[in-house]
Amino acid sequence: MSTPVPSPPPVQLLTPDGRRTDHADYAFAGDDESIRALYRDLVLVRRIDTEGTALQRHGELGLWAPCLGQEAAQVGSGRALSSQDFAFPTYREHGVAWCRGIDPVKLLGLFRGVELGGWDPEAERFGLYSIVIGAQTLHAVGYAMGIGLEGAVGHGVPDRDEAVLAYFGDGATSQGDVNEAFIWAASFQAPVVFFCQNNQWAISVPLERQTKVPLAQRAQGFGFPGVRVDGNDVLAVHAVTTEALRRARAGEGPMFVEAVTYRMGAHTTSDDPSRYRDPAQTEEWRQRDPLARVEAYLRSTGTAESFFADLEHEAEQLGEHLRAACKALPEPDLADLFDLVHHETTPELAAQREEYRAYRAGFETEGVAR
Amino acid sequence: MSATAAPTRGSIAKAINAGLRAAMERDDKVLVMGEDVGALGGVFRVTDGLQKDFGEGRVIDTPLGESGILGSAIGLGMRGFRPVVEIQFDGFVYPAYDQIVSQVAKLYHRSAGRVKVPMVIRIPFGGGIGAVEHHSESPEAQFVMTAGLKVVSCASPHDAYWMIQQAIASDDPIVFMEPKRRYWETGEIGDAADPLHVSRIVRPGSSATLLTYGPMVRTCLDAALAAEADGLDLEVIDLRTLSPLDLGPVLESVRRTGRAVVVHEASRTLGLGAEIAARVQEECFYSLEAPVLRVTGYDLPYPPSRAEEEFLPDLDRVLEAVDRSLAF
Ligand SMILES: Cc1ncc(C[n+]2csc(CCOP(=O)(O)OP(=O)(O)O)c2C)c(N)n1
Ligand SMILES: [Mg+2]
């Protein structure tokens, strides 16, 4: 399969070997201190992710969906959010969750199988993880429409205007829901940014099966701008997403950001990429690692060795904490779930809860299971 | 291509794979399509090796969209192909629900028999594999209650091998429910196939009748074995065909034993057990020694995996229901 339409070069502000570059339309606003803060996020997110994979290997999690290689796309966009903005994730947005202040142990709980939700979306300004591909993009648009209806856009007041960031993958762009989300967003001029992490793969299916044009180019057909950004360049992702969110908050409508990145790991811990992709491709992307380039930049501009050593120590401690906290997660009790199906529960469910309790109590009194 | 020899033994996953292969060798209009069915061989490897042997034109990795998979398969069917579509997991069939319920199920009827939809919709279903959300559901009743669809479920390698071929050969659309937690269970594959739409006694007995299908057949057989120790002789019927139901063997059995327990993972309300209980009491009222009982999932969304053992019917819950039936 070929892609007949040439891809415009993605916006880049930091080269893979750690040099800053300029771009006509986008600039990273922060200083080296803020780059160190982003680097800290990248390192800690990678640690959360590698702990997730390791915990699955040790049988502590049923599954883990690694974000390895996508840390810059997630941290760069996650840190572009203002506190009042709202983000709708897929199941792989561990880096965004980190930026939103979600306790990573909550993420482990989902993949361990102790609960299905984990946090209060409204309080955290972060939707629930969403496994059904694409569904959350429509929720994001509806939320953004609500912001518009309430007039919480276009005042030019930084901490008053709100925007929504919708995450999804390259594969998701083929879903009907996602295309409907684009149409709704355009039609209602919704303050939403569509943030597509094009990691080149949808499980075993390569990008070329989903699209014949660069994904960002599709936006034009729906009636809003699209931009490609080097998804492994945290500065560029931050700059582009900041601008896209600014536009949205200003009432200028939706925008599509295609973060060009790569899924360095397996789709999930159940997956075996050796069945479908060439390790040479993975190796090629390893040269564009999102952490290495920031480290190279910081070292070349005089960040003290102690910063890196302290960060390594912090990551170690985080890892230790996650391992212990994961094992200590309380087990779910089926009896608790009956009252959580409806806000106003039903006599039928109450009866089934009691039936279940009585059945279980029967074993406890008998003392033996068959 | 020379025909591959029929397998004599294997897992359910391998048996479906062999059945697909046999059907594709027999009829070059048979296509396999879905997400990751090609190089990966499907997330459960059910289509393993098929793309290599039959090419990308017959084993089609689709873009990511279930409505697209189902809708385009309808068009392919109208053009004379026989698509076998894979829905990756039970919980992902819903984006295709409209195409299945409003289109697949109705085209034959609306066209007064002019448009056939010779499609098989394969759905790995049910829980018990420790999966995350949306990967353990049992939506079969939603298709059973849809006029215009036929629904079957295999429970053994033998049936898996033959039923998939029969489903492909059928000119009617068939929803083919695969018991994913049993994919790796192995068994004999004989050369005599039962017809597709018949139920079968898989363990004869006299004390009570267990009526089940798919992943719960194994559970019920295990329960029957355990009950032997208590001097009970349970009959187990594998329904195999959920729509149409084949009630003949069911009614005959219940008339003999006087007791019936229906077992499925799907939630209780309007699950298959509801229909079967109604039909059994309509047809065997005077033979029943006890009400028809149901052992099912609770009326909850599928729980987080660390609670699934409590949610799913197991040997103990089946035997507890048998005890209640016998005590009646
Ligand atoms: C509706 C639906 N269909 C199928 C799946 C199974 N599935 C899970 S992830 C995935 C691929 C997603 O690819 P992409 O959108 O590129 O996101 P990525 O996993 O690469 O982050 C598929 C097919 C699903 N979760 N939901
Ligand atoms: Mg992808």
Side-chain angles (χ1 to χ4, degrees):
Chain A
M1 277 182 286
S2 63
T3 305
V5 180
S7 312
V11 176
Q12 191 179 68
L13 298 175
L14 186 64
T15 64
D17 55 0
R19 281 176 299 108
R20 302 279 292 267
T21 55
D22 289 332
H23 190 275
D25 301 321
Y26 299 96
F28 178 71
D31 55 10
D32 279 6
E33 197 51 46
S34 49
I35 296 176
R36 273 190 288 276
L38 289 172
Y39 183 67
R40 173 177 173 271
D41 289 331
L42 292 171
V43 167
L44 296 180
V45 166
R46 181 162 290 182
R47 177 54 66 110
I48 293 167
D49 190 58
T50 47
E51 290 297 339
T53 297
L55 282 163
Q56 194 281 334
R57 294 283 177 247
H58 288 114
E60 297 295 336
L61 304 181
L63 185 82
W64 183 251
C67 65
L68 189 69
Q70 298 176 221
E71 297 91 345
Q74 298 193 5
V75 167
S77 57
R79 286 299 178 206
L81 288 160
S82 295
S83 58
Q84 75 275 15
D85 293 335
F86 202 111
F88 284 82
T90 71
Y91 41 83
R92 205 188 289 288
E93 262 66 83
H94 318 318
V96 187
W98 169 259
C99 295
R100 291 268 91 182
I102 302 289
D103 181 351
V105 178
K106 291 283 182 192
L107 307 179
L108 299 178
L110 297 176
F111 288 94
R112 186 173 170 88
V114 303
E115 60 180 339
L116 302 174
W119 51 87
D120 175 354
E122 193 58 26
E124 309 292 343
R125 317 297 295 154
F126 189 59
L128 298 185
Y129 267 17
S130 182
I131 289 177
V132 180
I133 299 296
Q136 76 285 357
T137 58
L138 276 166
H139 311 164
V141 170
Y143 197 97
M145 287 167 66
I147 291 172
L149 289 172
E150 291 180 356
V153 284
H155 302 96
V157 184
D159 53 5
R160 172 161 171 205
D161 295 335
E162 298 176 40
V164 178
L165 193 50
Y167 287 90
F168 54 102
D170 46 294
T173 62
S174 297
Q175 271 292 13
D177 274 9
V178 177
N179 288 275
E180 291 176 26
F182 295 158
I183 289 164
W184 255 244
S187 185
F188 295 101
Q189 182 88 342
V192 59
V193 174
F194 294 108
F195 192 90
C196 177
Q197 285 169 85
N198 171 5
N199 64 6
Q200 314 301 326
W201 292 93
I203 311 186
S204 73
V205 180
L207 178 69
E208 299 76 57
R209 177 56 73 186
Q210 318 288 349
T211 187
K212 296 294 181 197
V213 299
L215 289 172
Q217 198 168 308
R218 286 197 189 161
Q220 200 190 350
F222 286 98
F224 46 86
V227 60
R228 304 184 89 216
V229 58
D230 178 346
N232 287 11
D233 172 352
V234 72
L235 303 187
V237 173
H238 189 275
V240 167
T241 315
T242 300
E243 166 57 15
L245 288 167
R246 183 206 60 74
R247 279 184 82 256
R249 282 186 220 106
E252 292 169 32
M255 184 161 161
F256 183 106
V257 177
E258 176 191 356
V260 182
T261 181
Y262 193 76
R263 197 194 78 210
M264 291 300 291
H267 170 68
T268 66
T269 46
S270 300
D271 178 39
D272 174 10
S274 74
R275 293 180 69 97
Y276 55 80
R277 73 182 186 185
D278 184 353
Q281 185 188 47
T282 315
E283 272 322 301
E284 198 184 301
W285 278 90
R286 204 181 301 283
Q287 308 308 313
R288 298 180 233 173
D289 182 71
L291 277 63
R293 70 180 73 184
V294 186
E295 181 183 352
Y297 167 76
L298 289 174
R299 286 192 188 279
S300 71
T301 51
T303 291
E305 183 55 43
S306 60
F307 166 78
F308 296 100
D310 290 351
L311 184 52
E312 181 52 32
H313 181 66
E314 189 181 1
E316 278 302 323
Q317 283 187 317
L318 176 62
E320 248 169 63
H321 164 67
L322 293 178
R323 291 192 292 275
C326 178
K327 289 171 201 166
L329 279 165
E331 293 295 328
D333 183 344
L334 195 73
D336 296 341
L337 302 181
F338 292 86
D339 295 342
L340 290 171
V341 181
H342 306 286
H343 181 55
E344 202 173 314
T345 195
T346 65
E348 174 63 30
L349 279 168
Q352 287 194 21
R353 181 194 59 215
E354 290 318 305
E355 175 194 316
Y356 167 66
R357 283 213 174 116
Y359 171 74
R360 198 166 66 177
F363 282 91
E364 280 152 17
T365 48
E366 268 176 42
V368 282
R370 264 179 213 266
Chain B
M1 198 182 296
S2 64
T4 310
T8 54
R9 220 193 138 67
S11 65
I12 288 181
K14 288 244 164 67
I16 299 170
N17 179 279
L20 288 169
R21 179 176 290 278
M24 294 181 82
E25 283 174 351
R26 203 175 299 128
D27 180 353
D28 63 10
K29 291 295 189 188
V30 175
L31 306 178
V32 165
M33 52 198 283
E35 293 156 6
D36 306 287
V37 297
L40 184 63
V43 294
F44 293 106
R45 309 294 183 261
V46 169
T47 57
D48 190 22
L50 296 180
Q51 189 179 66
K52 190 166 120 296
D53 293 344
F54 294 96
E56 290 184 16
R58 293 191 61 197
V59 180
I60 303 170
D61 266 334
T62 65
L64 203 175
E66 289 76 12
S67 186
I69 294 170
L70 259 293
S72 62
I74 291 173
L76 283 159
M78 292 172 69
R79 180 71 195 185
F81 289 88
R82 305 184 85 84
V84 183
V85 306
E86 175 175 300
I87 297 294
Q88 197 160 80
F89 283 89
D90 34 55
F92 306 139
V93 70
Y94 303 110
Y97 196 68
D98 173 61
Q99 288 288 348
I100 296 174
V101 171
S102 301
Q103 305 299 332
V104 173
K106 292 189 166 75
L107 271 168
Y108 184 84
H109 185 66
R110 283 175 57 217
S111 68
R114 293 184 187 94
V115 178
K116 292 187 192 127
V117 191
M119 182 193 296
V120 177
I121 305 168
R122 295 184 36 241
I123 309 179
F125 83 116
I129 62 163
V132 293
E133 229 183 336
H134 311 293
H135 290 71
S136 303
E137 303 189 357
S138 297
E140 60 273 17
Q142 305 193 44
F143 301 115
V144 170
M145 68 175 70
T146 300
L149 296 177
K150 291 178 175 172
V151 185
V152 300
S153 181
C154 58
S156 68
H158 175 82
D159 273 352
Y161 178 69
W162 291 111
M163 288 171 76
I164 189 68
Q165 295 182 64
Q166 293 164 329
I168 294 169
S170 168
D171 279 343
D172 286 319
I174 295 192
V175 180
F176 194 85
M177 307 295 298
E178 301 176 2
K180 73 165 86 84
R181 69 195 285 194
R182 311 294 183 204
Y183 267 147
W184 303 278
E185 289 188 6
T186 55
E188 305 288 329
I189 300 171
D191 48 19
D194 286 318
L196 184 58
H197 294 294
V198 303
S199 297
R200 200 172 57 209
I201 298 172
V202 286
R203 185 192 193 280
S206 55
S207 311
T209 305
L210 300 179
L211 298 162
T212 190
Y213 56 91
M216 286 289 114
V217 172
R218 165 59 45 211
T219 305
C220 287
L221 287 170
D222 290 348
L225 200 63
E228 274 178 13
D230 297 344
L232 290 179
D233 183 22
L234 300 179
E235 179 145 307
V236 181
I237 293 186
D238 178 358
L239 294 170
R240 296 173 81 252
T241 177
L242 310 183
S243 177
L245 283 169
D246 176 28
L247 285 171
V250 173
L251 302 177
E252 184 278 323
S253 173
V254 176
R255 287 189 187 112
R256 266 190 290 112
T257 64
R259 295 182 163 83
V261 176
V262 192
V263 183
H264 54 66
E265 289 187 18
S267 295
R268 182 182 308 169
T269 299
L270 287 182
L272 262 290
E275 179 63 23
I276 290 168
R279 299 289 287 275
V280 166
Q281 65 88 19
E282 281 169 11
E283 307 277 344
C284 319
F285 188 69
Y286 290 108
S287 311
L288 284 171
E289 305 284 344
V292 180
L293 298 180
R294 289 174 287 173
V295 182
T296 68
Y298 298 97
D299 287 344
L300 297 173
Y302 198 83
S305 62
R306 285 174 92 94
E308 73 180 341
E309 276 182 30
E310 292 290 292
F311 175 85
L312 292 169
D314 61 4
L315 186 147
D316 288 317
R317 276 178 66 197
V318 172
L319 293 182
E320 189 263 353
V322 168
D323 286 348
R324 271 191 288 134
S325 176
L326 288 163
F328 203 82

